[in-house]
Amino acid sequence: MRNFFYFIARHYTTIFFIFLEAICFALVISFNDYQQAKYVSSANIVVSSVYEAEQGVADYFLLADRNKILARENNALQNQLDMLHQQLRLMRNATFNAKDTLPQRYVYREAKVIKSTTNKEHNYLTIDRGTQGGVKENMIAIDQHGGVVGLVTAATNNFATILPIINTSFRLSSKLKKTNFRGQLVWDAIFDDEAELIDIPEHATVNQGDSVVTSGSSDFFPEGLYVGTISKVNMDRNGGFYDLTVKLAVDFASVYDVYIVEDLLAKEQQELESGNNQE
């Protein structure tokens, strides 16, 4: 404190001069429109330059995060593209082909999820459409983007329950879309947005971001329905096979609109295959 007062005493004339200059400058700016406009303009330029420099530095340090965001958005767009292709394929299958006189195979019925669980080992969904609305057991359910939700297990006149992928009892024959290697999708009751794809042999080429679709080996699920994408690649402890984590296409915490898909030719196909098995 003594040094401060010593400094003031030594340079008080200079400090007093600067103080008077500041007062004069303020008076000139306050009572002269032209000088005031010039001052405001200059101040804006300086402040703008400072902000631009600050933003440039911030942008530089945020490049890594923005690149990660762009990568995630790109992956999401690719997944949406896959789903759109899937929806187009399903729509083509569901449309009567007059030229080839092929019968319509799939019928889609919209329903809404009115109750669901995600925190149990045996989760389920309840929808607001039942047998009077054309919903029966063993029909499959997909969301509005074409992602696999599950299988209808029971139906009353006005309601039905769905066994979803996130149920430890659920097993879905799935495959890697790029290479067609097949495995089983199972849920380990840990996260409601992930499942495990097992039985993929170690000689298969697998990368994060690869799409997983239904294989068509199931009696209920046709080939090519979108299941999710590979998020983690690990080897099974026993060796010989991958243990792949799949980021599910359906957000079961917020799923609301679903489509119940009826296969009009399922019974005919099952009867034919049942006859072959008896031989």
Side-chain angles (χ1 to χ4, degrees):
M1 182 64 69
R2 181 191 305 172
N3 291 334
F4 175 73
F5 287 118
Y6 177 75
F7 176 82
I8 295 295
R10 185 175 181 180
H11 301 284
Y12 76 93
T13 55
T14 303
I15 295 173
F16 186 65
F17 175 77
I18 294 174
F19 175 71
L20 292 177
E21 284 288 328
I23 293 176
C24 293
F25 183 76
L27 291 174
V28 170
I29 295 299
S30 300
F31 296 100
N32 293 275
D33 294 338
Y34 176 77
Q35 282 80 0
Q36 186 177 19
K38 283 292 185 180
Y39 170 76
V40 172
S41 177
S42 300
N44 287 339
I45 293 174
V46 173
V47 172
S48 177
S49 299
V50 173
Y51 281 154
E52 287 180 2
E54 181 182 357
Q55 187 63 42
V57 173
D59 288 344
Y60 176 79
F61 286 105
L62 290 174
L63 281 178
D65 291 336
R66 290 182 177 177
N67 285 337
K68 291 180 182 179
I69 293 173
L70 288 174
R72 288 196 296 268
E73 290 178 349
N74 183 62
N75 189 53
L77 289 173
Q78 182 60 49
N79 293 338
Q80 291 179 10
L81 181 61
D82 289 342
M83 288 187 286
L84 287 174
H85 284 310
Q86 174 60 30
Q87 287 179 293
L88 180 61
R89 188 184 72 82
L90 291 176
M91 289 173 64
R92 287 172 176 170
N93 287 341
T95 303
F96 183 82
N97 190 325
K99 180 178 179 181
D100 297 328
T101 63
L102 295 176
Q104 176 181 344
R105 177 153 191 175
Y106 298 108
V107 174
Y108 299 84
R109 296 180 175 91
E110 184 178 358
K112 296 188 183 302
V113 177
I114 57 175
K115 186 176 181 180
S116 65
T117 62
T118 59
N119 58 352
K120 301 178 180 180
E121 290 189 2
H122 301 286
N123 292 304
Y124 68 94
L125 288 78
T126 302
I127 59 174
D128 65 349
R129 183 187 286 266
T131 53
Q132 290 183 352
V135 175
K136 303 175 183 177
E137 292 183 20
N138 298 327
M139 290 184 178
I140 67 173
I142 60 176
D143 73 353
Q144 56 186 338
H145 302 297
V148 176
V149 174
L151 187 71
V152 176
T153 55
T156 61
N157 287 340
N158 300 296
F159 305 98
T161 54
I162 297 173
L163 180 72
I165 290 178
I166 55 169
N167 186 305
T168 53
S169 302
F170 194 97
R171 297 177 72 89
L172 179 63
S173 179
S174 306
K175 68 177 183 178
L176 300 172
K177 184 177 180 181
K178 287 184 179 179
T179 60
N180 286 322
F181 279 98
R182 299 184 180 187
Q184 291 289 323
L185 188 84
V186 295
W187 189 57
D188 55 11
I190 298 178
F191 299 108
D192 62 10
D193 60 348
E194 291 181 349
E196 302 299 316
L197 181 61
I198 60 176
D199 298 336
I200 299 294
E202 62 180 351
H203 62 270
T205 300
V206 184
N207 296 297
Q208 287 186 350
D210 286 352
S211 294
V212 178
V213 298
T214 52
S215 68
S217 299
S218 167
D219 290 335
F220 309 110
F221 291 87
E223 181 183 4
L225 291 175
Y226 186 56
V227 177
T229 56
I230 302 297
S231 59
K232 296 179 184 177
V233 179
N234 296 307
M235 295 301 298
D236 186 88
R237 294 179 179 178
N238 298 323
F241 295 92
Y242 283 104
D243 184 6
L244 304 172
T245 300
V246 178
K247 180 72 173 179
L248 298 176
V250 176
D251 184 358
F252 286 94
S254 62
V255 63
Y256 182 66
D257 293 306
V258 296
Y259 289 93
I260 307 302
V261 185
E262 180 182 6
D263 185 350
L264 300 178
L265 303 182
K267 184 177 180 180
E268 178 183 343
Q269 181 178 346
Q270 291 170 3
E271 289 177 351
L272 175 64
E273 294 172 348
S274 177
N276 291 334
N277 292 334
Q278 292 176 358
E279 295 180 358

